[in-house]
Amino acid sequence: DTGVSQDPRHKITKRGQNVTFRCDPISEHNRLYWYRQTLGQGPEFLTYFQNEAQLEKSRLLSDRFSAERPKGSFSTLEIQRTEQGDSAMYLCASVPGGPRENAYEQYFGPGTRLTVT
Amino acid sequence: AQTVTQSQPEMSVQEAETVTLSCTYDTSESDYYLFWYKQPPSRQMILVIRQEAYKQQNATENRFSVNFQKAAKSFSLKISDSQLGDAAMYFCAYRRGDDKIIFGKGTRLHILP
């Protein structure tokens, strides 16, 4: 499978625990985006990376959230001291980049569904 | 700030019939992309169709077509010959160049057999 993969697909955790999600983009895609989708809403932007550099963070990304993309390959999104309001689907998308017309197409992974009890 | 509005939370259509999903957006940019994404119950986001703002011709992809009205900032999706597999959430989305995507709240489409 050469698409974007995310792990785990589902995570149930108790309030106050830390969780970490992983996204593996399509090989050689240099941009990687994280979005959060709550029930009944469209996805909302959280942050994105160009290779290993984190270039933009949304106001939605509180201090409890941290994202990394070491070596510009896979990315991790960590949530510390989870709250019930963090329950959502966390989506990852990767982008090939470059000057071609289709270079900015975002390819989405299946998401990680987080439930905080 | 750019916004995307989908005014129809849910819609239903008889199988084999045609349905149109509405979307309006707000931007001060002149160069941007518009999209319709489909999210089936399995929840993986799939690109349905894309429209570049500089292109006057409406995009089509098989049974899917758009009506892009740039001056009115309107971008509707028409699904012809609806099939049971078309049942999903449909999101209208906007992107400026290589920037992040801004999504609408979605329209849940039901296909009636």
Side-chain angles (χ1 to χ4, degrees):
Chain A
D1 187 351
T2 56
V4 179
S5 62
Q6 292 187 244
D7 183 69
R9 295 291 304 276
H10 299 92
K11 178 71 176 178
I12 299 174
T13 191
K14 292 185 177 180
R15 189 177 58 184
Q17 296 296 305
N18 299 344
V19 294
T20 300
F21 311 139
R22 176 178 170 127
C23 170
D24 286 89
I26 295 172
S27 180
E28 298 179 354
H29 280 197
N30 57 15
R31 283 202 174 195
L32 188 149
Y33 291 76
W34 284 99
Y35 295 85
R36 182 172 72 182
Q37 184 178 18
T38 53
L39 202 60
Q41 301 293 318
E44 295 175 289
F45 168 77
L46 290 178
T47 188
Y48 89 90
F49 293 83
Q50 173 87 20
N51 299 314
E52 66 275 9
Q54 188 173 16
L55 296 186
E56 185 177 350
K57 293 195 293 185
S58 162
R59 292 172 301 170
L60 293 175
L61 217 63
S62 75
D63 292 343
R64 296 184 297 105
F65 288 70
S66 63
E68 295 182 340
R69 194 184 181 197
K71 303 179 182 178
S73 56
F74 70 91
S75 176
T76 58
L77 177 67
E78 181 183 15
I79 309 174
Q80 296 182 326
R81 304 181 304 281
T82 52
E83 301 173 355
Q84 287 188 322
D86 297 331
S87 295
M89 176 76 82
Y90 291 83
L91 297 169
C92 173
S94 72
V95 179
R100 296 170 290 114
E101 182 181 71
N102 293 325
Y104 301 143
E105 203 60 67
Q106 296 200 12
Y107 296 82
F108 284 84
T112 294
R113 176 174 292 286
L114 173 66
T115 302
V116 181
T117 62
Chain B
Q2 295 86 4
T3 59
V4 177
T5 302
Q6 294 179 250
S7 58
Q8 306 151 315
E10 286 194 67
M11 292 193 72
S12 296
V13 63
Q14 208 74 35
E15 193 176 2
E17 296 295 307
T18 295
V19 64
T20 298
L21 308 184
S22 301
C23 173
T24 59
Y25 60 94
D26 188 24
T27 183
S28 58
E29 303 289 333
S30 59
D31 185 20
Y32 51 88
Y33 296 83
L34 295 167
F35 307 87
W36 279 97
Y37 281 90
K38 172 184 177 181
Q39 194 174 41
S42 65
R43 301 187 72 93
Q44 181 137 16
M45 198 77 71
I46 303 167
L47 178 64
V48 174
I49 199 165
R50 178 180 76 179
Q51 175 79 43
E52 291 87 346
Y54 65 85
K55 291 186 178 179
Q56 293 184 337
Q57 186 173 8
N58 289 324
T60 62
E61 287 287 342
N62 300 315
R63 298 183 294 107
F64 299 87
S65 62
V66 298
N67 183 3
F68 174 47
Q69 302 289 328
K70 191 173 184 179
K73 298 180 181 175
S74 170
F75 183 61
S76 61
L77 173 70
K78 185 172 80 172
I79 306 174
S80 304
D81 185 26
S82 298
Q83 301 175 0
L84 294 178
D86 295 333
M89 282 291 287
Y90 286 82
F91 293 98
C92 179
Y94 164 101
R95 193 190 75 216
R96 181 192 64 193
D98 61 352
D99 204 352
K100 57 188 173 289
I101 294 177
I102 298 170
F103 290 87
K105 291 188 175 183
T107 296
R108 181 172 298 282
L109 179 64
H110 302 278
I111 309 296
L112 306 174

